[in-house]
Amino acid sequence: MAISVRGLTKRYGDLLAVDDVSFEVAEGEFFGILGPNGAGKTTTLELVEGLREPDAGEIRLLGLKPWPRNSALLPRIGVQLQASSFFDKLTAREQLETFGSLYGVSKGTAADMLELVGLADKANTRENKLSGGQRQRLSIACALVHDPDVAFLDEPTAALDPQARRNLWDVLRAIRERGKTIVYTTHYLDEAEILCDRVAIMDRGRILAMDPPATLVRGLDSATHVLLAQGTLPVDQARAIPGVDDASEDGVSLSLATHDPGPVLAALAERGTLDGLQVRSATLEDVFLNLTGREYRA
Amino acid sequence: MTVFTSLSIAAIKGFVRDRVGLFFTFFFPLMFLIIFGLLFTDNGPKQTKLGVVGDGPVITALRKAEALNVTTVDSVDAAVDQVRKGDLPAVLTERDGAVELRFAASDRVRAGTVQGIVGNVVNQLNLAGQPVRFHLAQQPVEDTSLKPIQFVTPGILSWSLASSGVFGAALTIVSWRRKQVLRRMRLAPVNPLTVLSSRLLVSVGIGVVQAIIFIGLALTPPFGLKLAGQWWLAAPLLVTGLLAFFAIGMLAASFTKTEEATAAVANLIVLPMAFLSGTFFPLDNAPRWLEIVSKCLPLRYLNDGMTAVLSRGQGVEAIVTPMLVLLGFTVVVSAIAAKLFTWEDS
């Protein structure tokens, strides 16, 4: 096990930031902690990294205790911080070289990291001249410059535009292929569904569910929704199609709910009403709604 | 490359690439040197004036003596009028061997000075031709006349060292904390003392460059600074001074969170300290309480030591006390700063 956490609790005054949290992360696993802002994701990460002292509970990181500051552990973990945590006025390469030197990493290795995160052409650009996505990638490169066994990434894709987010996903996948254990937090459920081997859904300091994303979604036993343009088919006819549990209109689309989409789609194809058809199956957002009884708000 | 070297290089690059910082570190103090050094050049002790009417050996001798500021006045009436008004303390008329001194009795001090000097000159002229029994040799204690630049240079240099020491340390730490660079270092296997000492070394280096530029400019003809024999004793003094001010900067950084707040606090420490330590104006005529207050400030000791070795020509004995006091400040202030230090904002 790369990480093993049992009964972790952290309180800030009246606020129970982390409430009896337990989980394990296997070596080489891409583990996501999801939840809205204020769910306790960052605090959990900081406790595991050894930046804060837990009020209760036990943490083993690579078999060692992270608190108090454990110098034997530090070279083996990499922590990505906020996008702005850089030295003043240094270029991308100089940032990597300086952070690398803290771990005794050679200049050449540091420069190679730019390649991994796709910033080789920005080596001589000052950090403050990089775009948000580039800075985020540089920040990840700085966290991984010493080739750690476990990488902690705290909301690496927050505040990025969709294109930059997708570029970063490629970087994260590349890191994972190097066999690293990655623990990452996000409030984008769709992203976690794509990237993570396993996710823990957190809300108000507690872990509500923990499994591979597909398992969580399937466990919902929720209906698949087939959407057609409104008016393609009268509602009562739609309801009569075998396999359709329910049909409804919202003014724009006709929505058919089904647990057996195959025959329903075949029946629609027979009627020649497949134009503009969309199929929407349950997502982690539905899982969150089911677990908390409220809509997901990042 | 070691952590120490790479962090020092990072700090130097960050410093050199910050134009505003460079301006305030190197050119801002030079502006003060220009203002105080050039504009107040004639701010030395004023000579007492004497109005003269007519001409003769006494007036010639008085002009030669340079003890009084001798001004010619056209008529006796005009001169007496000026004495009445208080513009002149006294007027001397000389015509055909008759010398008459008229003074304002209301201004006893200056009038007394004039009477003494004039009396002396007249006596010497009377005795001329007779054998000399005693010869009085006179020499000033300073090798140059005590021009203001001799005091202005060490003072403003001390102030600028204090300023760059406090600001350099405080702003670096606060910026690193706010930007989570400190957190990153805490998560890396480095000793916090390595981090601090590399930044301190850079501060000392900046201070040395500051001193070289500053003294170099002051030595040029328009300023005319004359360095005393053991001027190089300023170097060890400079290092201990920077230690003390670096520690004060650390203290300022330990209880402020944003760069703006830190800059305000640092100014609040450095500026009053600069005035109370006599770096801009000498404290010779300051009231006793001010003298006591200034003895509690580290800048006073740096200033005194700098003046002693750069201008007064004093030796090692003059910097021992200042250095010990500055080291004492360093130890005490660092200890308090270490107690209050936090890695993170929250």
Side-chain angles (χ1 to χ4, degrees), chain B residues 33-34 36-39 41 143-154 214-228 310-311:
Chain B
L33 179 69
I34 290 166
F36 287 98
L38 289 186
L39 301 187
T41 316
D143 59 351
T144 58
S145 63
L146 283 175
K147 281 188 187 165
I149 190 72
Q150 299 296 119
F151 297 101
V152 164
T153 310
F214 198 84
I215 293 175
L217 184 75
L219 284 171
T220 58
F223 300 97
L225 173 72
K226 297 233 163 40
L227 284 179
L310 289 180
S311 298

Side-chain angles (χ1 to χ4, degrees), chain B residues 308-321:
Chain B
V309 295
L310 289 180
S311 298
R312 289 195 204 274
Q314 289 175 262
V316 184
E317 74 287 348
I319 59 166
V320 172
T321 311

Side-chain angles (χ1 to χ4, degrees), chain B residues 61-228:
Chain B
L62 278 171
R63 283 191 206 278
K64 259 194 207 153
E66 288 183 353
L68 294 169
N69 183 356
V70 179
T71 354
T72 309
V73 185
D74 295 337
S75 71
V76 182
D77 289 346
V80 170
D81 196 41
Q82 284 192 43
V83 174
R84 279 225 175 80
K85 281 190 198 153
D87 295 342
L88 288 172
V91 61
L92 181 133
T93 51
E94 182 170 18
R95 207 167 283 144
D96 310 325
V99 180
E100 188 185 359
L101 182 68
R102 301 173 73 171
F103 55 87
S106 54
D107 189 356
R108 297 247 163 122
V109 176
R110 289 200 292 166
T113 308
V114 173
Q115 281 174 299
I117 293 170
V118 172
N120 218 347
V121 168
V122 173
N123 279 342
Q124 279 185 4
L125 288 174
N126 286 340
L127 292 173
Q130 296 179 25
V132 177
R133 288 183 65 196
F134 302 105
H135 180 77
L136 178 63
Q138 295 182 54
Q139 211 178 345
V141 289
E142 295 87 359
D143 59 351
T144 58
S145 63
L146 283 175
K147 281 188 187 165
I149 190 72
Q150 299 296 119
F151 297 101
V152 164
T153 310
I156 299 179
L157 176 62
S158 303
W159 161 73
S160 65
L161 291 172
S163 189
S164 71
V166 172
F167 277 82
L171 289 178
T172 306
I173 299 300
V174 170
S175 151
W176 280 359
R177 182 165 54 215
R178 203 179 51 75
K179 294 171 105 189
Q180 297 196 344
V181 174
L182 280 187
R183 171 183 275 208
R184 192 158 247 166
M185 290 180 181
R186 194 178 165 199
L187 285 165
V190 291
N191 187 335
L193 281 179
T194 312
V195 179
L196 266 191
S197 55
S198 78
R199 187 59 188 81
L200 176 62
L201 180 80
V202 173
S203 265
V204 171
I206 292 170
V208 169
V209 175
Q210 263 185 317
I212 290 172
I213 294 181
F214 198 84
I215 293 175
L217 184 75
L219 284 171
T220 58
F223 300 97
L225 173 72
K226 297 233 163 40
L227 284 179

Side-chain angles (χ1 to χ4, degrees), chain A residues 75-92:
Chain A
R76 299 179 63 195
I77 64 167
V79 179
Q80 182 248 338
L81 303 173
Q82 287 175 5
S84 62
S85 61
F86 295 113
F87 289 100
D88 276 330
K89 317 265 177 198
L90 295 194
T91 66

Side-chain angles (χ1 to χ4, degrees), chain A residues 46 69 85 89 94 101, chain B residues 6 17 179 183 186 188:
Chain A
E46 287 174 352
R69 191 171 183 256
S85 61
K89 317 265 177 198
E94 289 166 347
S101 77
Chain B
S6 77
R17 290 173 189 175
K179 294 171 105 189
R183 171 183 275 208
R186 194 178 165 199

